């Protein structure tokens, strides 16, 4: 056994906190998440729509955390510029962007009927 379970949670929450402290985009995602939650409460969206929203929150935030970890690993392994390091960082950032764009589109599909 590797140690107490609570330490695993401690390290995981520390990683989330580190991402929040270091990454401006993570904070932007949190702001949009709060805005969507407020809109969802205001418009009284359906349960399945809440489930979709929370799944998308988890997807985008998780990918932002993975992106942060990839950037840290690449910076450690390749402190000087290297084209492969750039590719790794660009691809992980691209994954976040793709998820955020599709989350926004799905959010519009959910909320536009309530707005209209």
């Amino acid at each position: 056994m590797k140690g107490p379970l609570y330490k695993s949670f401690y390290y995981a929450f520390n990683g989330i906190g580190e991402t929040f402290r270091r990454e401006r985009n993570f904070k932007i995602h949190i702001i949009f998440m709060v805005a969507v939650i407020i809109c969802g409460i205001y418009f009284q969206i359906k349960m399945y729509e809440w489930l979709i929203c929370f799944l998308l929150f988890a997807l985008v935030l998780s990918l932002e955390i993975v992106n942060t970890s990839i950037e840290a690993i690449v910076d450690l392994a390749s402190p000087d510029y290297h084209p492969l390091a750039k590719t790794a960082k660009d691809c992980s950032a691209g994954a976040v962007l793709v998820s955020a764009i599709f989350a926004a589109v799905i959010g519009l599909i959910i909320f536009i009927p309530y707005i209209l």
Side-chain angles (χ1 to χ4, degrees):
M1 191 176 255
K2 293 186 174 193
L5 181 62
Y6 72 88
K7 283 191 174 185
S8 296
F9 283 102
Y10 170 80
Y11 295 134
F13 282 113
N14 188 51
I16 295 167
E18 185 65 25
T19 302
F20 184 82
R21 285 186 291 280
R22 290 182 58 184
E23 296 298 327
R24 178 194 63 212
N25 289 344
F26 192 79
K27 293 174 186 143
I28 292 169
H29 294 311
I30 295 288
I31 290 167
F32 275 98
M33 181 182 78
V34 170
V36 168
I37 290 170
I38 291 168
C39 290
I41 292 168
Y42 178 79
F43 290 117
Q44 298 178 353
I45 64 175
K46 296 172 182 63
M47 178 62 71
Y48 76 90
E49 293 167 328
W50 278 116
L51 295 172
I52 292 168
C53 288
F54 277 94
L55 182 62
L56 292 170
F57 299 156
L59 174 69
V60 173
L61 294 176
S62 295
L63 281 173
E64 189 66 58
I65 293 167
V66 170
N67 178 49
T68 300
S69 67
I70 289 171
E71 287 180 355
I73 291 167
V74 168
D75 289 345
L76 177 65
S78 181
D80 298 323
Y81 176 82
H82 191 283
L84 290 176
K86 179 184 182 321
T87 299
K89 292 171 88 169
D90 290 352
C91 289
S92 65
V96 178
L97 181 61
V98 167
S99 71
I101 289 170
F102 278 91
V105 169
I106 293 167
L108 290 172
I109 291 169
I110 290 171
F111 282 98
I112 285 177
Y114 289 100
I115 295 168
L116 299 178

